[in-house]
Structures are given as structure tokens and as C-alpha cells.
Amino acid sequence: METSDAMGVHCEEAAVLGRGGLGRNTWLLAVAAVAACLLLVGPSAPSGAVLGRSAPVEAVRDVVPNRVMTWNICNPCEGNNVGRAAEIAAYAPQVIGLQEACVRDVERIREYLQSLHGLVYHVEYGTVLQSWGRCGGAPWNPGGYGQAILSAAPMTDRVNVEYPDGGSEDRGYMAVTTRVGGQSVRVFNTHLAQRRQEEVRAKQTGVLAAAVARHDRAIVLGDFNAVPDAPELARVWALAADTDPQCRPSSTGSCETTTDWHSKFDYVFLRGIAPLEHGVQPSPYSDHDILHTDLAPTCGTSAAAGTSQPRTSGRGVGAKACPDA
């Protein structure tokens, strides 16, 4: 639980005590507690209300219908779900794949996206661990940890697969069917084994690639813990292209880094879909950068709002070329 959230809970408890039919001394203590909370928390809490008063909410924003994002939000790290939600809202993607995600944190992020930014998302989870150490909760009821996908459109046909060998920690992938840019697409979200576990990752990408290959149109998001020319990524590269057309699994490729240690570990792989543009944005809330990309519409459809017309360069594997505008 975040510090500010915890303070809010104690403030509410104090307010309830103050309203109960308690003795004068207890009542005075409750009033003092409420006053202290107001000084600590300030005029408005992240949840948007203190003592029944609603805080101002930013103007409602629409999601960008052809934009997707991947982000390893870092765990264990000093979590700030209000800040994480603000980072996501700055790009307002249609679909977000999160890794190292605790269910409780994702629920908070989702709540703040709606209450503070007017962005409403559906959520599906790809939990691989029940971890009290990572996600809190009672020892007999620990929090879920793994992947999550947020989508502005409903999601169907969710699968959650744990890799037979996770390496030093359980790892897996999840997949859903949803709509991006008005088109139905299969979206995968994965987190591969940690660094210096190349042989384990090679087995994991074999499992993942077999699932991706069954779909003509797919988006594969995630933290692969491997640089582009790592041999264990070869099976994925054979099926899909990175959203950055300059990034290739060879020495001639030029890939933007996505981590604090200046390595590219995070990818948006596209199969049967062409990219328009992408961006990498460092965040103070994680040791991984935010990677977001806008996707080109299918030929014969109009470009999504807020994007330029598609060009022939940078096509994903299997994507149809569209004529220049």
C-alpha cells in the first residue's frame, strides 16, 4: 500500500470514530487525528476525495485507438501508482502490457486512470506467482504477480501460460483478443527469464513463438531480457518485426535502448501489422522505459485519429503495403 493511500485509510477510520457515540476524550482524540491527517495528506487524496469532498478531475481524454504500450513497472521498487497512472495517461494507449505487475497495483493504476484522467480500461491478468514478499497481502492470501493487459476495448479468449522452465523465477506469457485501431488482433504479453539465463529464454521463446505463429495478425509486447541480436530471440524475429524499422537482429541494426543500464530489453513485435511511429520514454518509477507505438491501419481503412497516413517503410512481417498518401 502506498504511503498516501495508507494515510487516507487511517483518516477515514478517525472520521468514523469521531461520528460514533464515544466519550468526550475519545472524540477529541479522533478530531485531532483527522486534523493531523489533513495536514499530512493535503487538501485532496489520490483517490479523488477527502471527507466526502470530490477533488477536481482532469478533462476526460479519449484513448488513441491505434496506440499500444509495453512497460515493466519494476518490482520490487518504490511504487507510486498515481505516478504510474499519470505516465500511462500521458500517452493514452488503446492497449498496455505491464510486466512485474502486482494485481493490487494494477487495480490502483486502473482506478486512477479513470478517476484522475477519465480513461476507462478493461483488465486481464497473467499471474505466475502468489507472492507476499513482492505484492503484500496477508501471508495466507498473498498478492498475485506477473503480467497484465489493460485495453480500452473488451478482451476475449484470455490464456495464461507458465513456461515449463521459468529460470530463477516463474515466468510466462498471457494473450487476449481485442481491438486496436478498429481491427481485431491477438495481443501477447510476456516476461522472459532474467539476464544470464540464455538457455532458459531460448526454450521460452520456442513456446511463445509456437503460439504467435497461429495468428496472422499479432502484437507481442514484453520484457525479453535480451538484446536484439541474442540467439534466443531468433524464433521471434522469424515471425515478427520490431516496431522500430531500424532495429534488426544484426550488427547493422540501430535500436534505441529501453533500460536504465542502456540495453534494449523491451519490444513491441508486430506480425501482419505495420508501424507508423514509436517512442521510448524514461520514467522515474521504473528501471525500464516506456515503449509506445502507433500502428498503421489495415489497407482500405482510414488512418486512426491523431496519426499520419501510413507509408510503405517499416512494415511488420506479413503486413500489406499501403500506397503513400
Side-chain angles (χ1 to χ4, degrees):
M1 178 179 290
E2 298 170 39
T3 303
S4 58
D5 293 332
M7 289 179 180
V9 170
H10 294 312
C11 285
E12 291 174 5
E13 291 173 352
V16 170
L17 286 173
R19 291 194 296 268
L22 302 176
R24 176 179 175 81
N25 290 338
T26 304
W27 184 85
L28 290 174
L29 286 172
V31 171
V34 171
C37 284
L38 289 175
L39 287 173
L40 289 170
V41 178
S44 63
S47 60
V50 169
L51 300 181
R53 287 190 300 143
S54 296
V57 176
E58 295 179 10
V60 174
R61 290 185 54 185
D62 291 332
V63 298
V64 181
N66 65 328
R67 180 171 295 166
V68 297
M69 172 189 291
T70 185
W71 191 18
N72 181 324
I73 59 176
C74 187
N75 185 303
C77 280
E78 295 258 339
N80 183 325
N81 291 323
V82 174
R84 288 167 172 164
E87 295 274 54
I88 293 170
Y91 302 99
Q94 173 78 16
V95 168
I96 311 111
L98 300 176
Q99 303 89 42
E100 295 194 17
C102 292
V103 170
R104 290 184 177 89
D105 285 332
V106 175
E107 285 300 320
R108 288 289 181 87
I109 291 168
R110 186 171 169 236
E111 290 171 4
Y112 296 146
L113 282 167
Q114 181 171 358
S115 64
L116 301 180
H117 304 283
L119 299 173
V120 179
Y121 287 99
H122 303 269
V123 64
E124 294 287 356
Y125 294 100
T127 297
V128 295
L129 285 172
Q130 298 293 327
S131 177
W132 178 80
R134 283 186 179 272
C135 297
W140 57 89
N141 184 27
Y145 170 83
Q147 286 73 250
I149 294 178
L150 301 178
S151 174
M155 292 174 278
T156 61
D157 303 319
R158 181 192 72 93
V159 299
N160 183 36
V161 176
E162 287 194 41
Y163 295 123
D165 183 359
S168 54
E169 179 181 80
D170 291 354
R171 295 290 163 92
Y173 77 83
M174 64 178 299
V176 300
T177 298
T178 188
R179 299 186 73 81
V180 176
Q183 300 292 318
S184 179
V185 64
R186 193 69 171 163
V187 179
F188 293 81
N189 183 19
T190 191
H191 189 192
L192 299 189
Q194 294 174 353
R195 286 178 287 175
R196 294 179 293 277
Q197 298 180 34
E198 294 85 354
E199 292 183 3
V200 175
R201 289 197 298 273
K203 296 176 183 177
Q204 293 172 348
T205 55
V207 174
L208 177 64
V212 173
R214 293 195 288 267
H215 302 274
D216 293 333
R217 286 171 47 81
I219 301 170
V220 187
L221 311 169
D223 173 7
F224 286 73
N225 272 320
V227 294
D229 60 354
E232 62 266 30
L233 296 189
R235 292 182 182 179
V236 180
W237 282 111
L239 294 171
D242 187 67
T243 186
D244 180 358
Q246 303 304 316
C247 185
R248 295 182 294 274
S250 67
S251 59
T252 60
S254 176
C255 306
E256 292 182 73
T257 63
T258 63
T259 66
D260 285 356
W261 50 95
H262 306 297
S263 294
K264 179 175 172 66
F265 279 4
D266 305 270
Y267 297 83
V268 176
F269 283 112
L270 302 174
R271 176 173 170 81
I273 304 169
L276 281 176
E277 57 184 3
H278 74 282
V280 176
Q281 181 63 43
S283 169
Y285 304 109
S286 176
D287 54 356
H288 285 252
D289 301 338
I290 294 168
L291 172 58
H292 60 88
T293 186
D294 292 351
L295 307 179
T298 303
C299 289
T301 63
S302 60
T307 65
S308 59
Q309 290 295 317
R311 293 184 170 86
T312 55
S313 62
R315 298 193 299 273
V317 171
K320 295 180 181 179
C322 295
D324 288 339

